[in-house]
Amino acid sequence: LRFRLAGYPRKHNEGRVEVFYNEEWGTICDDDFTLANAHVLCRHLGFVAATGWAHSAKYGKGVGRIWLDNVNCGGSEKSIEDCRHRGWGNSDCSHEEDAGVVCKDERIPGFKDSNVIEVRTLRAQGPGGGKWPRWSPCSRSPAQRHRSRSQSGVGGARAARRGRQGGRGPHWWLHRGALSTPRSPCRLVAERQQLNYRLHSVSCAGTEVHLSLCAFEFVRGNASAPCAAGMPAVVSCAPGPLFAAAGTHKKKPRQQQQGQPRIRLKGGAKVGEGRVEVLKSSEWGTVCDDHWNLQSASVVCRELGFGSAKEALTGARMGQGTGPIHMSEVQCEGTETSLWHCPLKNITEEDCKHSEDAAVRCNVPYMGYEELIRLAGGRTVSEGRVEVKRGNKWGTVCSDGWTTKEAMVACRQLGLGYSLHAVTETWYWDASNVTEMVLSGVKCEGHEMSLSHCQHHGVSLSCKNTGTRFAAGVICSETASDLLLHAPLVQETAYIEDRPLHMLYCAAEENCLSSSARRANWPYGHRRLLRFSSQIHNNGRADFRPKAGRHSWVWHECH
């Protein structure tokens, strides 16, 4: 049995329940439906539990068969098949009675479906089991890399696979044996390590998003000579553009960047995640989540210089975009170098809504940036005074010019999401013995992965307000609202209107008129007003605060 959530409008963890039985998708009738039924169905879908359920086709009417009716579960069943029901396909319902569920937004550990992969990650080890230094014996020239690709006895598809999931861009090579001499640098590295083989006979097609999805065999624990005909597989990787620039700690001037990117991620709290947006006819737009899966998401991640995708997100989980929706029903094979090379459907606004915007979470290489920053003195782990490590010394950051952009970079480097507040006075967080300032003049654009990548004064520190009282601090959050004015609507609806003063008392009380209105001869005369409609979208991932019910909002004329 296979299950899925469908319908509109909905979030990723709710919807009409559809079940694939006897080679056909169908729905479940809401007769006798209970929360216990929803618990069992949510576990089928990979969520830990249900928080509610819906009747009367709340998420729209389905099509095809109604497979189950009068379902009665206790809640602890492993499968919906173990619950009592009228039998498969035996129903007296119509699709106006299709049942839906609302699942708790928490995945079952280790659960895998077509859009999520949660398995153990790979790591590359340097000499002695540590991290590779900036230069290693296995770092070769382009000529050596080319020669290795031709001579390698191990499949290039496997190399590309491990490179893509590890997060170092699409340019990887895997080799075995000597490069040009019997004792190559890579063989010397391998011989110095204690060999402990886990896999052999790995065979990938090249479209997999993780090595665990390739064909392979485990090395038996009692094998006398594992990998007798070979040696440890070694990969050599070229970092993606974002990490190549980060390695130099300098941002390339805009004019030196080759062409304008045609794809980007927006709305994500961390590096390598966000809503997918593509550029078409000089206008950015989103991608509809119809048929959105890990293969297509991995193409996006590799195009941006990350590894493969670890999650393909649907239902605008990274916030709703604005403007056009450029793509729908994207169906990549997994080998494409750009999302634009995949089969897709150009759509109209009627086909898809922004509540169905696709998003991704990519595998990102471990760069160690989070080890160079910490928070001190906060009430929770997500707030506090910012302390950074410069050389072997921890110190504070000057708060001169400390804004939301700098706080965004700090929260991203900490792995704590978005910045809710950029704090410039932190005397109430003075709970650390660190008193020396080590960073000043920090000015970020907001996209950097580390505060050290932003402009700063270097060793020539300069700060107006010295002392720990004026050290920079942050309050971070996993989610945030993001308000965006619909500017075209203002342009389209603006007009001039002459309005009598006796109709503008409310507007005057609300201070919505210009100051010269106070000198007018009330209630006689007129005012000339600029009138327009306004629409503000929250395309973030949190409610806008303060949150209040409709009854507590008061309508005013000038609004």
Side-chain angles (χ1 to χ4, degrees):
L1 293 176
R2 285 158 51 198
F3 296 83
R4 70 184 182 190
L5 293 174
Y8 175 83
R10 68 181 182 88
K11 297 180 180 178
H12 69 283
N13 57 327
E14 64 177 327
R16 181 178 64 249
V17 180
E18 297 189 350
V19 56
F20 191 72
Y21 175 79
N22 199 24
E23 302 299 317
E24 186 179 351
W25 285 102
T27 61
I28 298 176
C29 181
D30 62 12
D31 288 353
D32 300 331
F33 207 88
T34 65
L35 187 62
N37 298 356
H39 282 311
V40 176
L41 289 166
C42 284
R43 288 197 295 270
H44 272 302
L45 292 158
F47 297 97
V48 293
T51 59
W53 62 279
H55 59 84
S56 305
K58 175 185 175 182
Y59 300 102
K61 294 187 288 186
V63 294
R65 300 287 295 273
I66 299 175
W67 280 124
L68 293 173
D69 190 5
N70 299 111
V71 180
N72 191 343
C73 300
S76 60
E77 292 86 351
K78 291 185 177 180
S79 171
I80 199 74
E81 288 186 298
D82 299 332
C83 303
R84 286 179 292 172
H85 54 80
R86 292 179 57 164
W88 289 97
N90 184 9
S91 170
D92 59 359
C93 299
S94 70
H95 281 297
E96 292 180 348
E97 301 168 84
D98 284 344
V101 295
V102 181
C103 302
K104 185 177 180 181
D105 192 7
E106 183 181 339
R107 285 278 180 185
I108 296 173
F111 179 82
K112 287 189 287 184
D113 69 10
S114 61
N115 280 359
V116 183
I117 183 160
E118 296 181 20
V119 294
R120 284 189 181 181
T121 56
L122 292 171
R123 66 179 182 184
Q125 283 194 326
K131 288 187 289 187
W132 286 99
R134 185 175 296 278
W135 179 89
S136 76
C138 288
S139 297
R140 294 163 290 150
S141 68
Q144 287 177 304
R145 287 199 292 262
H146 177 75
R147 187 161 60 247
S148 174
R149 290 174 77 182
S150 344
Q151 296 173 352
S152 170
V154 179
R158 269 166 285 171
R161 179 64 38 239
R162 185 168 178 182
R164 289 197 283 262
Q165 75 189 51
R168 295 302 288 261
H171 310 295
W172 289 66
W173 296 272
L174 186 67
H175 56 85
R176 172 176 76 185
L179 292 178
S180 53
T181 61
R183 296 185 64 77
S184 69
C186 289
R187 182 173 284 280
L188 291 173
V189 170
E191 288 175 353
R192 281 201 298 269
Q193 298 182 70
Q194 182 180 1
L195 303 182
N196 191 8
Y197 292 98
R198 293 274 187 258
L199 306 176
H200 70 91
S201 303
V202 183
S203 178
C204 300
T207 58
E208 299 86 353
V209 297
H210 198 279
L211 197 67
S212 65
L213 302 179
C214 302
F216 63 85
E217 294 182 32
F218 284 107
V219 174
R220 295 181 180 178
N222 58 358
S224 56
C227 200
M231 61 169 289
V234 181
V235 291
S236 177
C237 54
L242 184 64
F243 301 97
T248 62
H249 289 196
K250 292 180 181 178
K251 188 175 184 298
K252 294 182 180 179
R254 190 172 294 275
Q255 61 266 27
Q256 292 182 10
Q257 296 175 353
Q258 294 184 352
Q260 185 180 11
R262 299 185 65 196
I263 191 166
R264 68 184 184 186
L265 300 182
K266 300 291 284 186
K270 300 173 184 176
V271 175
E273 69 174 29
R275 180 178 60 254
V276 180
E277 296 190 352
V278 293
L279 185 66
K280 181 180 179 183
S281 302
S282 301
E283 188 174 16
W284 287 100
T286 60
V287 177
C288 187
D289 63 9
D290 292 350
H291 303 313
W292 188 247
N293 58 21
L294 279 169
Q295 274 69 32
S296 300
S298 291
V299 171
V300 170
C301 292
R302 293 197 303 271
E303 186 174 356
L304 291 166
F306 301 111
S308 61
K310 58 183 176 184
E311 195 165 357
L313 303 170
T314 59
R317 289 207 30 208
M318 291 292 174
Q320 296 186 28
T322 57
I325 301 174
H326 286 321
M327 295 181 178
S328 180
E329 299 183 19
V330 181
Q331 299 185 62
C332 302
E333 294 182 1
T335 56
E336 297 87 350
T337 57
S338 172
L339 195 68
W340 291 99
H341 300 162
C342 302
L344 56 92
K345 178 183 175 185
N346 293 316
I347 64 169
T348 62
E349 191 175 334
E350 290 74 30
D351 296 324
C352 203
K353 307 293 182 185
H354 280 298
S355 58
E356 302 168 80
D357 284 343
V360 297
R361 283 197 179 104
C362 304
N363 285 302
V364 180
Y366 173 73
M367 308 295 284
Y369 295 140
E370 62 269 31
E371 295 178 1
L372 305 177
I373 189 171
R374 67 188 183 192
L375 297 181
R379 297 162 296 178
T380 67
V381 295
S382 298
E383 67 176 30
R385 188 178 69 192
V386 176
E387 295 179 356
V388 296
K389 191 175 184 181
R390 303 279 287 171
N392 294 320
K393 183 169 59 176
W394 286 95
T396 62
V397 179
C398 175
S399 64
D400 290 353
W402 185 255
T403 68
T404 300
K405 287 186 177 181
E406 289 72 37
M408 277 287 193
V409 175
C411 290
R412 182 180 300 124
Q413 185 177 354
L414 287 159
L416 296 177
Y418 305 97
S419 164
L420 285 186
H421 297 288
V423 184
T424 55
E425 285 193 41
T426 54
W427 52 269
Y428 44 84
W429 284 336
D430 192 10
S432 169
N433 58 1
V434 174
T435 58
E436 187 177 353
M437 182 185 66
V438 296
L439 198 61
S440 67
V442 180
K443 187 173 179 60
C444 304
E445 293 189 14
H447 58 75
E448 296 88 350
M449 292 186 289
S450 166
L451 287 177
S452 61
H453 300 162
C454 304
Q455 294 180 20
H456 55 83
H457 289 157
V459 294
S460 305
L461 301 176
S462 175
C463 189
K464 289 181 191 174
N465 300 312
T466 56
T468 55
R469 170 174 181 162
F470 297 102
V474 293
I475 300 177
C476 306
S477 172
E478 280 292 324
T479 60
S481 56
D482 187 7
L483 303 187
L484 187 69
L485 176 70
H486 185 21
L489 182 67
V490 176
Q491 291 178 303
E492 293 165 6
T493 59
Y495 65 97
I496 296 292
E497 181 187 44
D498 287 340
R499 202 164 180 86
L501 282 176
H502 69 83
M503 296 180 65
L504 294 174
Y505 275 106
C506 178
E509 290 172 4
E510 287 293 304
N511 215 19
C512 294
L513 303 180
S514 63
S515 57
S516 63
R518 297 173 189 170
R519 300 189 295 272
N521 186 22
W522 291 82
Y524 309 104
H526 292 74
R527 300 294 295 178
R528 177 159 290 183
L529 307 176
L530 172 66
R531 307 297 297 266
F532 55 87
S533 296
S534 175
Q535 199 175 73
I536 297 175
H537 298 270
N538 178 6
N539 62 346
R541 295 166 57 194
D543 291 329
F544 177 62
R545 307 293 171 89
K547 188 177 181 182
R550 292 178 182 175
H551 64 278
S552 61
W553 291 90
V554 180
W555 173 262
H556 286 288
E557 188 85 18
C558 58
H559 294 175

